[in-house]
Amino acid sequence: MTTTEQHRADSTTPMVVVDDVHRSFGTGPQAVHALRGVSFALRRGELTALKGRSGSGKTTLLNLVGGLDAPTSGAIRLDGTDLTGLGEGALLALRRERIGFVFQSFGLIPVLTAAENVGVPMRLRKVAAARREERVRTLLALVGLASHAGQRPGELSGGQQQRVAVARALANDPDLIIADEPTGQLDSETGRSIMELLRAVVRSEGVTVLVATHDPALMELADRVVEMRDGRVVETAEPAVVGADAG
């Protein structure tokens, strides 16, 4: 069993712990307090939806959990590693090797094919060509795009582009995937298919997913919902409660 598999098999400890995190921008009376004492944990192998209105602090929190930004105070731990104690080099390695990102705007490189886009993270890690090509084929099949490997983003629909982005996020076998409004540019039916894909990835790959969304229909597909308001976590809900609220 690999180290990653051992970590994922140990479901008794959280994958992510956010402990009394504050994030402010600016100083003095003009300071903007984006996060105000946020605490919660992400369980391993679960899809957690983060909901809240624009300005509630969702994106700021995602950036902190993903190691793209640092909190003003408090701690964030990924599988026991305190992100706030890492230097930029260590954070870069962590983001490259243990975290996958899916963005609202897809973020694909236009001149590369679907297969080449999926392979980019492995090229950065200097994965051998044979291993990289095998992993790309596996991931494109997983997201239902095996027959589109040679097409460029401009030749794919929005939903197909986001599926490529999900495959790319999985390229380096991450422990955590962070998705910021990944269905925001898609119609409701396509958006639901992307959320169902993320849920399938959680089940098949054992990865932990944190996804920001404002769509109640998509929240029904999550294992748990964390609600934010004015920079604070105000509620968490299990699936049965989520379904009742959505109805």
Side-chain angles (χ1 to χ4, degrees):
M1 181 179 290
T2 66
T3 301
T4 298
E5 288 169 338
Q6 288 173 340
H7 288 161
R8 291 179 183 172
D10 180 12
S11 59
T12 60
T13 58
M15 176 57 69
V16 175
V17 175
V18 178
D19 185 11
D20 193 25
V21 165
H22 293 251
R23 180 65 171 105
S24 299
F25 299 92
T27 59
Q30 303 303 316
V32 175
H33 303 288
L35 297 179
R36 305 167 183 262
V38 172
S39 296
F40 72 96
L42 297 182
R43 298 189 289 246
R44 297 170 187 269
E46 285 193 349
L47 171 58
T48 298
L50 185 64
K51 76 171 184 176
R53 293 180 178 179
S54 177
S56 63
K58 300 192 306 299
T59 297
T60 298
L61 181 57
L62 292 181
N63 288 340
L64 295 177
V65 173
L68 297 170
D69 191 15
T72 304
S73 64
I76 298 173
R77 293 184 289 276
L78 172 63
D79 199 19
T81 299
D82 187 353
L83 273 60
T84 53
L86 299 180
E88 187 52 44
L91 282 171
L92 179 61
L94 180 139
R95 291 193 299 265
R96 184 174 60 233
E97 298 170 10
R98 303 192 62 186
I99 303 175
F101 295 91
V102 180
F103 304 102
Q104 178 177 335
S105 60
F106 315 142
L108 303 178
I109 300 172
V111 298
L112 301 183
T113 66
E116 290 167 341
N117 268 282
V118 175
V120 164
M122 289 180 282
R123 285 182 178 273
L124 294 176
R125 291 187 67 188
K126 296 180 170 46
V127 174
R131 166 62 181 149
R132 185 175 69 244
E133 291 168 5
E134 177 186 4
R135 179 71 172 158
V136 167
R137 285 194 296 270
T138 298
L139 291 173
L140 286 177
L142 176 66
V143 301
L145 291 177
S147 62
H148 297 273
Q151 292 180 275
R152 291 180 171 81
E155 301 171 314
L156 301 171
S157 69
Q160 288 172 329
Q161 290 184 60
Q162 196 61 295
R163 285 176 176 269
V164 173
V166 171
R168 181 185 58 189
L170 288 165
N172 285 333
D173 194 25
D175 296 310
L176 172 68
I177 288 181
I178 293 175
D180 191 2
E181 298 282 1
T183 64
Q185 294 192 21
L186 306 173
D187 62 75
S188 58
E189 182 178 350
T190 305
R192 186 177 180 87
S193 74
I194 294 298
M195 196 71 168
E196 289 173 343
L197 172 61
L198 289 171
R199 186 173 67 173
V201 163
V202 168
R203 303 293 185 260
S204 64
E205 300 286 304
V207 67
T208 303
V209 176
L210 176 62
V211 53
T213 181
H214 62 276
D215 189 335
L218 302 184
M219 293 174 203
E220 294 179 7
L221 299 173
D223 296 303
R224 190 162 57 117
V225 173
V226 174
E227 181 179 357
M228 294 193 66
R229 188 181 305 150
D230 298 328
R232 296 182 174 90
V233 169
V234 296
E235 181 182 357
T236 61
E238 301 298 325
V241 178
V242 176
D245 288 347

